[in-house]
Amino acid sequence: MVKDIMKDLLFLGRKAEAATKEDIAIAEDLLDTLRAHRDHCVGMAANMIGERKAIIAIAEGNRLTAMLNPEVVKKSPRTYKAVEGCLSIPGEREVERHDWIEVKYRDMDWHKEKRKFTGFEAEIVQHELDHLEGKLI
């Protein structure tokens, strides 16, 4: 189900709680909401739809991927500056991002996964991981 975008900075500034297998329905709502905003959005975190769970969704080309309890296990030593916007917070801000990151997470079938993200996808994942930490971008 497509959910409204959360704009409450106090809510968005709180750290997410671990997701459980029962939270897969939240991940489905997150994917539906990202799909509905796909023309101007490439990633979302569950707190952006009012759920304080460690779940993110990203667009990889035409494919949408949800990750439950994503956690960075490795990251590139090299970083760069990027300018990012967010559906929940107006405007754009400069941030520092790693060239690549390796992330472990649970997929929609609750299987353990580990993937390396590079380029723009790595930037998207890092932005959404910041949301899970309550970091306002």
Side-chain angles (χ1 to χ4, degrees):
M1 177 186 325
V2 176
K3 301 287 189 167
D4 291 335
I5 302 300
M6 171 64 66
K7 307 231 182 226
D8 181 336
L9 297 182
L10 290 176
F11 182 86
L12 293 168
R14 295 174 62 198
K15 188 173 177 163
E17 300 170 354
T20 66
K21 197 172 185 178
E22 289 71 38
D23 295 321
I24 289 173
I26 295 170
E28 290 170 355
D29 289 344
L30 190 61
L31 288 169
D32 289 344
T33 306
L34 177 56
R35 194 172 290 108
H37 292 275
R38 187 65 186 94
D39 61 331
H40 57 278
C41 182
V42 292
M44 299 184 89
N47 63 355
M48 294 175 67
I49 60 167
E51 300 286 352
R52 208 163 48 96
K53 293 291 184 167
I55 306 169
I56 67 172
I58 66 164
E60 300 177 88
N62 291 326
R63 191 176 119 205
L64 302 182
T65 301
M67 293 177 248
L68 293 89
N69 298 322
E71 183 182 326
V72 174
V73 292
K74 288 184 188 172
K75 55 190 170 189
S76 68
R78 188 168 115 52
T79 62
Y80 64 95
K81 300 282 186 195
V83 176
E84 298 175 356
C86 182
L87 281 180
S88 291
I89 307 165
E92 293 183 332
R93 284 145 300 281
E94 186 177 274
V95 293
E96 191 168 343
R97 298 290 181 215
H98 292 274
D99 283 339
W100 59 264
I101 57 171
E102 191 172 299
V103 179
K104 68 177 184 176
Y105 62 95
R106 296 276 185 164
D107 67 13
M108 293 292 283
D109 296 316
W110 204 247
H111 297 129
K112 291 181 180 179
E113 299 286 342
K114 185 164 36 168
R115 287 187 52 201
K116 184 177 183 177
F117 295 92
T118 61
F120 189 53
E121 283 82 16
E123 187 175 326
I124 298 166
V125 173
Q126 290 172 83
H127 179 102
E128 303 315 328
L129 290 173
D130 282 348
H131 272 295
L132 299 185
E133 293 298 317
K135 201 172 170 187
L136 303 177
I137 301 299

